[in-house]
Amino acid sequence: MKTWPGDGTHDNNVDGVDGVDAVAADLAAEYAAAVVAIAAAEAQAMAVLARAQAVGLERVAEIPRTAGREAELPLRALAAELGACARQPDRSVQRRMNDAHTLVNRFAASFEALAAGVVSVGHVRAIVEHGVKLTDPEIRAAFEVEALERAASTTPGRLGPQLARLVEQVQPTTFAERHKVARKSGGVWVRDVEDGMTELLLRGPAVPVHGIHDMITHIARDVLNTAHAENADADAAAGEGEGDGVPVDSRTLDQVRADVLMEMVLTHRIDTQTGEGLGDGHGGLASIRATVNVTVPALALAGVTDDPAELVGRAPIDLDTARILASSVPGWERVLADPITGGVLAVDRYTRSADLTRHLRVRDPHCRFPGCRMPTHRCDIDHGEDFALGGATDHRNLCALCRRHHVLKGETPWRVKHHPGGVIEWISPGGLHYTDTPPPVTIGFVPDPDDAPF
């Protein structure tokens, strides 16, 4: 049996110190010091973001109320300035600006504790997440004192539930009243993760959401139980002990749950007895019609290579999924790329209508503002030099911009210059220059949205 210092079976003289693992103690001290430094750095960054939010709000206040949505443009412009400089998405920076402003101005004690390294960013997020529900400043201040005391002796994961109960104790309104308001914050979001996977996030009332989870769990168990029962029957028919013993379905309950949900949402049906649509891990794909959003390398589509396909502007996808989507697309475009740089050289097909649009769709798989990943099919095709001012309608003066950054370019001091090869240069209000280069692509085929069924 392997023994460790301190387990009663080993001499605890480590590094010359009786009963003390000096190396571990030193490492723990160094790590704790690093964590304190990280907290201080996070607080420093939040202070800058909070100041940026304050400046943006001052500029917003100077705009007439009749400006409507344009009133937010000063905040967008500032977020774009900070994000481009730090190579971060400006949408995320704008959210962080707002969060930092809330922390600094409404939870000053928590901000000071973060700067001192007493608590971590995780602790602070938990405190703000729950404390922001308290609108009375005095009640919120009392909550913050108690929250910081608890944070000093526990982890962020354990702190959250404690604070949820604490908020309930000090809330001036009933749970039913707050739930009625909270229902308005429901929604569905998509977040791309690694290895061609994506998360679907649903926020809604607890009962129906748990009901959804319970329902797909029940169906998933039925699918697995049916598969295992069929396998047991096959073994029995072959003679006890003579079956191969290999389960018909080797997936976990979580994996089957995911397939069940995709199949139900995309096809509005499920067969728990046969598991139809669930056995290949691609439930519901047959009901999707691919458009320009999917790029598939030609050799990979033919099975010669294993290069991944791409959900354009979003994330890589596995080839099995790409092939299923490809089978439903009646029209294709051929993309010729430079073998060295990967830049788009030409886009052609038998029918040459809208050639320029197709060229831009392939060259610009997403919005061309630095760091933005909004897919092209959700973007505008924008003239760098306005058409009304003589700007040409060709690939040297056009690029894809999402509505957010299209408005940013047109309504704020941000400016754009087009360079050869599809290179876009952005000049910020602060005078800084940022270059966005088209991503390289391999030789592949892109389905045509004009021929798709919708």
Side-chain angles (χ1 to χ4, degrees):
M1 178 180 69
K2 188 172 183 179
T3 59
W4 298 94
D7 67 358
T9 61
H10 192 281
D11 184 356
N12 286 341
N13 189 317
V14 181
D15 296 332
V17 182
D18 290 340
V20 175
D21 186 342
V23 173
D26 289 343
L27 289 172
E30 289 180 21
Y31 180 68
V35 168
V36 170
I38 290 172
E42 289 280 2
Q44 183 179 5
M46 289 183 182
V48 175
L49 292 170
R51 293 204 307 272
Q53 180 77 358
V55 171
L57 291 175
E58 290 175 359
R59 295 177 179 179
V60 167
E62 298 172 357
I63 299 176
R65 293 184 178 181
T66 56
R69 293 183 62 183
E70 296 179 1
E72 188 197 6
L73 291 177
L75 285 169
R76 289 191 188 182
L78 268 175
E81 180 87 57
L82 272 63
C85 187
R87 298 182 300 281
Q88 296 176 342
D90 59 298
R91 288 181 178 85
S92 298
V93 171
Q94 188 169 349
R95 286 194 297 270
R96 293 188 64 199
M97 285 167 52
N98 182 69
D99 292 345
H101 190 263
T102 298
L103 173 64
V104 171
N105 290 279
R106 299 176 64 183
F107 296 88
S110 298
F111 175 73
E112 293 174 2
L114 178 66
V118 176
V119 295
S120 69
V121 172
H123 290 106
V124 169
R125 285 175 179 163
I127 293 172
V128 174
E129 177 187 355
H130 295 281
V132 76
K133 303 171 186 175
L134 302 171
T135 56
D136 187 299
E138 293 184 2
I139 295 177
R140 187 170 62 244
F143 162 85
E144 188 177 14
V145 170
E146 177 67 20
L148 287 172
E149 290 182 2
R150 300 188 184 193
S153 59
T154 190
T155 64
R158 291 185 175 182
L159 179 64
Q162 294 181 28
L163 298 186
R165 291 190 293 270
L166 180 60
V167 166
E168 286 299 318
Q169 295 171 7
V170 299
Q171 277 281 18
T173 56
T174 66
F175 175 81
E177 293 171 333
R178 297 195 306 277
H179 178 70
K180 185 177 180 180
V181 175
R183 288 179 68 98
K184 298 178 181 179
S185 67
V188 178
W189 301 269
V190 170
R191 181 174 64 192
D192 295 317
V193 293
E194 68 281 352
D195 300 328
M197 301 296 283
T198 297
E199 295 177 345
L200 179 67
L201 310 176
L202 166 65
R203 178 186 175 90
V207 171
V209 172
H210 279 289
I212 292 172
H213 187 267
D214 289 345
M215 180 180 66
I216 62 176
T217 298
H218 178 76
I219 295 174
R221 283 176 176 157
D222 281 349
V223 171
L224 290 176
N225 290 339
T226 299
H228 291 307
E230 290 176 352
N231 187 54
D233 291 342
D235 286 350
E240 186 176 355
E242 295 181 9
D244 57 20
V246 178
V248 174
D249 197 327
S250 61
R251 290 172 297 168
T252 66
L253 182 61
D254 277 340
Q255 291 169 337
V256 180
R257 260 196 295 249
D259 289 337
V260 165
L261 183 59
M262 289 187 290
E263 181 73 12
M264 293 181 68
V265 172
L266 293 174
T267 70
H268 311 291
R269 64 175 178 79
I270 196 72
D271 189 334
T272 60
Q273 296 302 312
T274 65
E276 182 181 351
L278 298 176
D280 56 7
H282 295 291
L285 284 180
S287 63
I288 297 177
R289 292 296 176 264
T291 64
V292 71
N293 306 335
V294 179
T295 301
V296 189
L299 295 180
L301 189 63
V304 177
T305 69
D306 293 326
D307 296 333
E310 181 184 3
L311 184 60
V312 177
R314 303 299 297 175
I317 61 175
D318 65 282
L319 284 177
D320 287 341
T321 297
R323 291 187 181 108
I324 292 173
L325 295 175
S327 66
S328 65
V329 179
W332 292 88
E333 295 173 348
R334 184 178 65 181
V335 181
L336 179 63
D338 187 298
I340 297 176
T341 66
V344 177
L345 297 178
V347 180
D348 61 37
R349 56 177 297 178
Y350 292 113
T351 304
R352 300 287 297 180
S353 61
D355 290 337
L356 178 58
T357 299
R358 288 194 292 274
H359 178 90
L360 293 170
R361 238 174 11 228
V362 174
R363 188 197 70 184
D364 301 347
H366 47 64
C367 171
R368 295 299 306 280
F369 186 85
C372 185
R373 295 282 294 172
M374 183 66 70
T376 298
H377 71 277
R378 296 182 181 175
C379 293
D380 302 327
I381 300 299
D382 177 63
H383 286 74
E385 181 181 357
D386 288 350
F387 178 79
L389 300 178
T393 303
D394 61 34
H395 66 89
R396 292 165 293 186
N397 189 47
L398 294 173
C399 70
L401 292 181
C402 70
R403 185 56 53 89
R404 174 187 179 90
H405 294 124
H406 192 172
V407 173
L408 187 77
K409 168 184 170 290
E411 304 296 335
T412 76
W414 276 90
R415 292 294 175 260
V416 168
K417 287 185 179 180
H418 286 249
H419 296 284
V423 175
I424 308 295
E425 180 184 5
W426 287 81
I427 300 93
S428 77
L432 301 179
H433 294 243
Y434 304 94
T435 300
D436 187 76
T437 303
V441 299
T442 57
I443 297 176
F445 294 93
V446 180
D448 173 32
D450 298 333
D451 295 333
F454 59 89

